[in-house]
CSV table of all heavy atoms in Angstrom, one decimal:
chain,number,residue,atom,x,y,z
A,59,PHE,N,-17.1,22.4,7.4
A,59,PHE,CA,-17.5,22.6,8.8
A,59,PHE,C,-17.9,24.1,9.0
A,59,PHE,O,-17.2,25.0,8.5
A,59,PHE,CB,-16.3,22.3,9.7
A,59,PHE,CG,-16.0,20.9,9.9
A,59,PHE,CD1,-15.3,20.2,8.9
A,59,PHE,CD2,-16.4,20.2,11.0
A,59,PHE,CE1,-15.0,18.8,9.1
A,59,PHE,CE2,-16.1,18.8,11.2
A,59,PHE,CZ,-15.4,18.2,10.2
A,60,GLY,N,-19.0,24.3,9.7
A,60,GLY,CA,-19.4,25.7,10.1
A,60,GLY,C,-18.5,26.2,11.2
A,60,GLY,O,-17.8,25.4,11.8
A,61,PRO,N,-18.5,27.5,11.4
A,61,PRO,CA,-17.6,28.1,12.4
A,61,PRO,C,-17.8,27.6,13.9
A,61,PRO,O,-16.9,27.6,14.7
A,61,PRO,CB,-17.9,29.6,12.3
A,61,PRO,CG,-19.2,29.7,11.5
A,61,PRO,CD,-19.3,28.5,10.7
A,62,ARG,N,-19.1,27.2,14.1
A,62,ARG,CA,-19.4,26.7,15.5
A,62,ARG,C,-19.4,25.1,15.5
A,62,ARG,O,-20.0,24.5,16.5
A,62,ARG,CB,-20.7,27.3,16.0
A,62,ARG,CG,-20.4,28.7,16.6
A,62,ARG,CD,-21.7,29.3,17.0
A,62,ARG,NE,-22.6,29.6,15.9
A,62,ARG,CZ,-22.4,30.6,15.0
A,62,ARG,NH1,-21.5,31.5,15.2
A,62,ARG,NH2,-23.3,30.7,14.0
A,63,GLU,N,-18.9,24.5,14.5
A,63,GLU,CA,-19.0,23.0,14.5
A,63,GLU,C,-17.7,22.4,15.0
A,63,GLU,O,-16.8,23.1,15.5
A,63,GLU,CB,-19.3,22.6,13.1
A,63,GLU,CG,-20.7,23.0,12.7
A,63,GLU,CD,-21.1,22.4,11.3
A,63,GLU,OE1,-20.3,21.7,10.6
A,63,GLU,OE2,-22.2,22.8,10.9
A,64,ASP,N,-17.6,21.0,14.8
A,64,ASP,CA,-16.6,20.3,15.6
A,64,ASP,C,-15.3,20.0,14.8
A,64,ASP,O,-14.6,19.0,15.1
A,64,ASP,CB,-17.2,19.0,16.0
A,64,ASP,CG,-17.7,18.1,14.9
A,64,ASP,OD1,-17.9,18.7,13.8
A,64,ASP,OD2,-17.9,16.9,15.1
A,65,LEU,N,-14.8,20.9,14.0
A,65,LEU,CA,-13.6,20.7,13.2
A,65,LEU,C,-12.4,20.4,14.1
A,65,LEU,O,-11.7,19.4,13.9
A,65,LEU,CB,-13.3,21.9,12.3
A,65,LEU,CG,-12.0,21.9,11.5
A,65,LEU,CD1,-11.9,20.7,10.6
A,65,LEU,CD2,-11.8,23.2,10.7
A,66,ALA,N,-12.2,21.2,15.1
A,66,ALA,CA,-11.0,21.0,16.0
A,66,ALA,C,-11.1,19.7,16.8
A,66,ALA,O,-10.1,19.1,17.0
A,66,ALA,CB,-10.9,22.2,16.9
A,67,ALA,N,-12.3,19.3,17.2
A,67,ALA,CA,-12.5,18.2,18.0
A,67,ALA,C,-12.7,16.9,17.2
A,67,ALA,O,-12.7,15.8,17.8
A,67,ALA,CB,-13.7,18.3,18.9
A,68,TYR,N,-12.8,17.0,15.9
A,68,TYR,CA,-13.1,15.8,15.1
A,68,TYR,C,-12.1,14.7,15.3
A,68,TYR,O,-10.9,15.0,15.3
A,68,TYR,CB,-13.2,16.2,13.6
A,68,TYR,CG,-13.9,15.1,12.8
A,68,TYR,CD1,-15.3,15.1,12.7
A,68,TYR,CD2,-13.2,14.1,12.1
A,68,TYR,CE1,-15.9,14.1,11.9
A,68,TYR,CE2,-13.8,13.1,11.4
A,68,TYR,CZ,-15.2,13.1,11.3
A,68,TYR,OH,-15.9,12.2,10.6
A,69,PRO,N,-12.6,13.5,15.6
A,69,PRO,CA,-11.6,12.4,16.0
A,69,PRO,C,-10.6,12.0,14.9
A,69,PRO,O,-11.0,12.0,13.7
A,69,PRO,CB,-12.5,11.3,16.4
A,69,PRO,CG,-13.8,11.5,15.7
A,69,PRO,CD,-13.9,13.0,15.6
A,70,ARG,N,-9.4,11.7,15.3
A,70,ARG,CA,-8.4,11.3,14.3
A,70,ARG,C,-7.5,10.2,14.9
A,70,ARG,O,-7.2,10.2,16.1
A,70,ARG,CB,-7.6,12.4,13.7
A,70,ARG,CG,-7.4,13.6,14.6
A,70,ARG,CD,-7.0,14.9,13.9
A,70,ARG,NE,-8.1,15.9,14.2
A,70,ARG,CZ,-8.3,17.0,13.5
A,70,ARG,NH1,-7.5,17.3,12.5
A,70,ARG,NH2,-9.3,17.8,13.7
A,71,ASP,N,-7.1,9.3,14.0
A,71,ASP,CA,-6.2,8.2,14.4
A,71,ASP,C,-5.6,7.6,13.1
A,71,ASP,O,-5.9,6.5,12.7
A,71,ASP,CB,-6.9,7.1,15.2
A,71,ASP,CG,-5.9,6.2,15.9
A,71,ASP,OD1,-4.7,6.2,15.5
A,71,ASP,OD2,-6.3,5.4,16.8
A,72,PRO,N,-4.7,8.4,12.5
A,72,PRO,CA,-4.2,8.0,11.2
A,72,PRO,C,-3.4,6.7,11.2
A,72,PRO,O,-3.5,5.9,10.3
A,72,PRO,CB,-3.2,9.2,10.8
A,72,PRO,CG,-3.1,10.1,12.0
A,72,PRO,CD,-4.2,9.8,12.9
A,73,ASP,N,-2.7,6.4,12.3
A,73,ASP,CA,-2.0,5.1,12.3
A,73,ASP,C,-2.9,3.9,12.3
A,73,ASP,O,-2.7,3.0,11.5
A,73,ASP,CB,-1.1,5.0,13.6
A,73,ASP,CG,0.0,6.0,13.5
A,73,ASP,OD1,0.3,6.5,12.4
A,73,ASP,OD2,0.6,6.3,14.6
A,74,ARG,N,-4.0,4.0,13.1
A,74,ARG,CA,-5.0,2.9,13.1
A,74,ARG,C,-5.7,2.8,11.7
A,74,ARG,O,-5.9,1.7,11.2
A,74,ARG,CB,-6.0,3.1,14.2
A,74,ARG,CG,-6.8,1.8,14.5
A,74,ARG,CD,-7.9,2.1,15.5
A,74,ARG,NE,-8.8,3.1,15.0
A,74,ARG,CZ,-10.0,3.4,15.6
A,74,ARG,NH1,-10.4,2.7,16.6
A,74,ARG,NH2,-10.8,4.3,15.1
A,75,ASP,N,-6.0,4.0,11.2
A,75,ASP,CA,-6.7,4.0,9.9
A,75,ASP,C,-5.8,3.3,8.8
A,75,ASP,O,-6.3,2.5,8.1
A,75,ASP,CB,-6.9,5.5,9.4
A,75,ASP,CG,-8.0,6.2,10.2
A,75,ASP,OD1,-8.7,5.5,10.9
A,75,ASP,OD2,-8.1,7.4,10.1
A,76,LEU,N,-4.5,3.6,8.8
A,76,LEU,CA,-3.6,3.1,7.8
A,76,LEU,C,-3.5,1.6,8.0
A,76,LEU,O,-3.5,0.8,7.0
A,76,LEU,CB,-2.3,3.7,7.8
A,76,LEU,CG,-2.3,5.2,7.3
A,76,LEU,CD1,-0.9,5.8,7.4
A,76,LEU,CD2,-2.7,5.3,5.8
A,77,SER,N,-3.5,1.1,9.2
A,77,SER,CA,-3.3,-0.4,9.4
A,77,SER,C,-4.6,-1.1,9.0
A,77,SER,O,-4.6,-2.1,8.4
A,77,SER,CB,-2.8,-0.7,10.8
A,77,SER,OG,-3.9,-0.7,11.7
A,78,ARG,N,-5.8,-0.4,9.2
A,78,ARG,CA,-7.0,-1.0,8.7
A,78,ARG,C,-7.0,-1.1,7.2
A,78,ARG,O,-7.5,-2.1,6.6
A,78,ARG,CB,-8.2,-0.2,9.2
A,78,ARG,CG,-8.4,-0.4,10.7
A,78,ARG,CD,-9.8,0.1,11.1
A,78,ARG,NE,-10.1,-0.5,12.4
A,78,ARG,CZ,-11.2,-0.3,13.0
A,78,ARG,NH1,-12.2,0.4,12.5
A,78,ARG,NH2,-11.4,-0.9,14.2
A,79,LEU,N,-6.6,0.0,6.6
A,79,LEU,CA,-6.6,0.0,5.1
A,79,LEU,C,-5.6,-1.0,4.5
A,79,LEU,O,-5.8,-1.6,3.5
A,79,LEU,CB,-6.3,1.4,4.6
A,79,LEU,CG,-7.4,2.4,5.0
A,79,LEU,CD1,-7.0,3.8,4.5
A,79,LEU,CD2,-8.8,2.0,4.4
A,80,ARG,N,-4.5,-1.2,5.2
A,80,ARG,CA,-3.5,-2.2,4.8
A,80,ARG,C,-4.2,-3.6,4.8
A,80,ARG,O,-4.1,-4.4,3.9
A,80,ARG,CB,-2.3,-2.2,5.7
A,80,ARG,CG,-1.1,-1.8,5.0
A,80,ARG,CD,0.2,-1.7,5.8
A,80,ARG,NE,0.7,-0.4,5.6
A,80,ARG,CZ,0.8,0.6,6.5
A,80,ARG,NH1,0.4,0.4,7.8
A,80,ARG,NH2,1.3,1.8,6.2
A,81,GLU,N,-4.9,-3.9,5.9
A,81,GLU,CA,-5.6,-5.2,6.1
A,81,GLU,C,-6.6,-5.4,4.9
A,81,GLU,O,-6.8,-6.5,4.5
A,81,GLU,CB,-6.4,-5.2,7.4
A,81,GLU,CG,-5.5,-5.6,8.6
A,81,GLU,CD,-6.3,-5.3,9.9
A,81,GLU,OE1,-7.5,-5.3,9.9
A,81,GLU,OE2,-5.6,-5.1,10.9
A,82,GLU,N,-7.2,-4.3,4.5
A,82,GLU,CA,-8.2,-4.4,3.4
A,82,GLU,C,-7.5,-4.4,2.0
A,82,GLU,O,-8.2,-4.4,1.0
A,82,GLU,CB,-9.2,-3.2,3.4
A,82,GLU,CG,-10.0,-3.1,4.7
A,82,GLU,CD,-11.0,-4.3,4.9
A,82,GLU,OE1,-11.4,-4.9,3.9
A,82,GLU,OE2,-11.3,-4.7,6.1
A,83,LYS,N,-6.2,-4.4,2.0
A,83,LYS,CA,-5.4,-4.5,0.8
A,83,LYS,C,-5.7,-3.3,-0.2
A,83,LYS,O,-5.8,-3.5,-1.4
A,83,LYS,CB,-5.7,-5.8,0.1
A,83,LYS,CG,-5.4,-7.0,1.0
A,83,LYS,CD,-4.9,-8.2,0.2
A,83,LYS,CE,-4.4,-9.4,1.0
A,83,LYS,NZ,-4.5,-9.3,2.5
A,84,VAL,N,-5.8,-2.1,0.3
A,84,VAL,CA,-6.0,-0.9,-0.5
A,84,VAL,C,-4.6,-0.6,-1.2
A,84,VAL,O,-3.6,-0.9,-0.6
A,84,VAL,CB,-6.4,0.2,0.5
A,84,VAL,CG1,-6.2,1.6,-0.2
A,84,VAL,CG2,-7.8,0.0,0.9
A,85,ASP,N,-4.7,-0.2,-2.4
A,85,ASP,CA,-3.5,0.1,-3.1
A,85,ASP,C,-2.8,1.5,-2.8
A,85,ASP,O,-1.6,1.6,-2.7
A,85,ASP,CB,-3.7,0.0,-4.6
A,85,ASP,CG,-4.2,-1.4,-5.0
A,85,ASP,OD1,-3.4,-2.3,-5.0
A,85,ASP,OD2,-5.5,-1.5,-5.3
A,86,LEU,N,-3.7,2.5,-2.7
A,86,LEU,CA,-3.2,3.8,-2.7
A,86,LEU,C,-4.0,4.7,-1.6
A,86,LEU,O,-5.2,4.6,-1.6
A,86,LEU,CB,-3.5,4.5,-4.0
A,86,LEU,CG,-2.3,4.7,-5.0
A,86,LEU,CD1,-2.8,5.2,-6.3
A,86,LEU,CD2,-1.3,5.6,-4.4
A,87,VAL,N,-3.3,5.4,-0.8
A,87,VAL,CA,-4.0,6.3,0.2
A,87,VAL,C,-3.5,7.7,-0.1
A,87,VAL,O,-2.3,7.9,-0.2
A,87,VAL,CB,-3.7,5.9,1.6
A,87,VAL,CG1,-4.4,6.8,2.6
A,87,VAL,CG2,-4.2,4.4,1.8
A,88,LEU,N,-4.4,8.6,-0.1
A,88,LEU,CA,-4.1,10.1,-0.2
A,88,LEU,C,-4.4,10.7,1.1
A,88,LEU,O,-5.5,10.7,1.6
A,88,LEU,CB,-4.9,10.7,-1.3
A,88,LEU,CG,-4.7,12.3,-1.4
A,88,LEU,CD1,-3.3,12.7,-1.7
A,88,LEU,CD2,-5.7,12.8,-2.5
A,89,MET,N,-3.4,11.3,1.8
A,89,MET,CA,-3.6,12.1,3.0
A,89,MET,C,-3.0,13.5,2.9
A,89,MET,O,-1.9,13.7,3.5
A,89,MET,CB,-2.9,11.3,4.2
A,89,MET,CG,-3.5,10.0,4.5
A,89,MET,SD,-2.7,9.2,5.9
A,89,MET,CE,-3.2,10.1,7.3
A,90,PRO,N,-3.6,14.3,2.2
A,90,PRO,CA,-3.0,15.7,2.0
A,90,PRO,C,-3.3,16.5,3.2
A,90,PRO,O,-4.1,16.2,4.1
A,90,PRO,CB,-3.8,16.2,0.8
A,90,PRO,CG,-5.2,15.6,1.0
A,90,PRO,CD,-5.0,14.2,1.6
A,91,ASP,N,-2.5,17.6,3.4
A,91,ASP,CA,-2.9,18.6,4.5
A,91,ASP,C,-3.7,19.7,3.9
A,91,ASP,O,-3.8,19.9,2.7
A,91,ASP,CB,-1.7,19.0,5.3
A,91,ASP,CG,-0.6,19.7,4.6
A,91,ASP,OD1,-1.0,20.3,3.6
A,91,ASP,OD2,0.5,19.6,5.0
A,92,ALA,N,-4.4,20.4,4.8
A,92,ALA,CA,-5.3,21.5,4.4
A,92,ALA,C,-4.6,22.6,3.6
A,92,ALA,O,-5.2,23.1,2.7
A,92,ALA,CB,-6.0,22.0,5.6
A,93,ALA,N,-3.4,22.9,4.0
A,93,ALA,CA,-2.7,23.9,3.3
A,93,ALA,C,-2.4,23.6,1.8
A,93,ALA,O,-2.3,24.5,1.0
A,93,ALA,CB,-1.4,24.2,4.0
A,94,GLU,N,-2.3,22.3,1.5
A,94,GLU,CA,-2.1,21.9,0.1
A,94,GLU,C,-3.4,21.9,-0.6
A,94,GLU,O,-3.5,22.3,-1.8
A,94,GLU,CB,-1.4,20.5,0.0
A,94,GLU,CG,-1.0,20.2,-1.4
A,94,GLU,CD,-0.4,18.8,-1.6
A,94,GLU,OE1,-0.8,17.9,-0.8
A,94,GLU,OE2,0.3,18.7,-2.6
A,95,MET,N,-4.5,21.5,0.0
A,95,MET,CA,-5.8,21.5,-0.7
A,95,MET,C,-6.3,22.9,-0.8
A,95,MET,O,-7.0,23.2,-1.8
A,95,MET,CB,-6.8,20.6,0.2
A,95,MET,CG,-6.4,19.2,0.2
A,95,MET,SD,-6.6,18.4,-1.4
A,95,MET,CE,-8.4,18.0,-1.4
A,96,TYR,N,-6.1,23.8,0.1
A,96,TYR,CA,-6.6,25.1,0.1
A,96,TYR,C,-5.4,26.1,0.3
A,96,TYR,O,-5.3,26.7,1.4
A,96,TYR,CB,-7.7,25.4,1.1
A,96,TYR,CG,-8.9,24.4,0.9
A,96,TYR,CD1,-9.1,23.3,1.8
A,96,TYR,CD2,-9.8,24.6,-0.1
A,96,TYR,CE1,-10.1,22.5,1.6
A,96,TYR,CE2,-10.9,23.8,-0.3
A,96,TYR,CZ,-11.0,22.7,0.6
A,96,TYR,OH,-12.1,21.9,0.4
Side-chain angles (χ1 to χ4, degrees):
F59 287 79
R62 277 175 297 280
E63 293 183 2
D64 57 342
L65 173 61
Y68 198 83
R70 31 202 115 195
D71 192 343
D73 292 342
R74 196 187 57 170
D75 288 348
L76 290 176
S77 79
R78 290 194 158 181
L79 295 177
R80 244 177 233 116
E81 281 168 24
E82 298 296 333
K83 304 208 172 5
V84 166
D85 299 289
L86 257 175
V87 179
L88 171 64
M89 292 179 76
D91 60 27
E94 190 184 23
M95 293 292 275
Y96 301 105

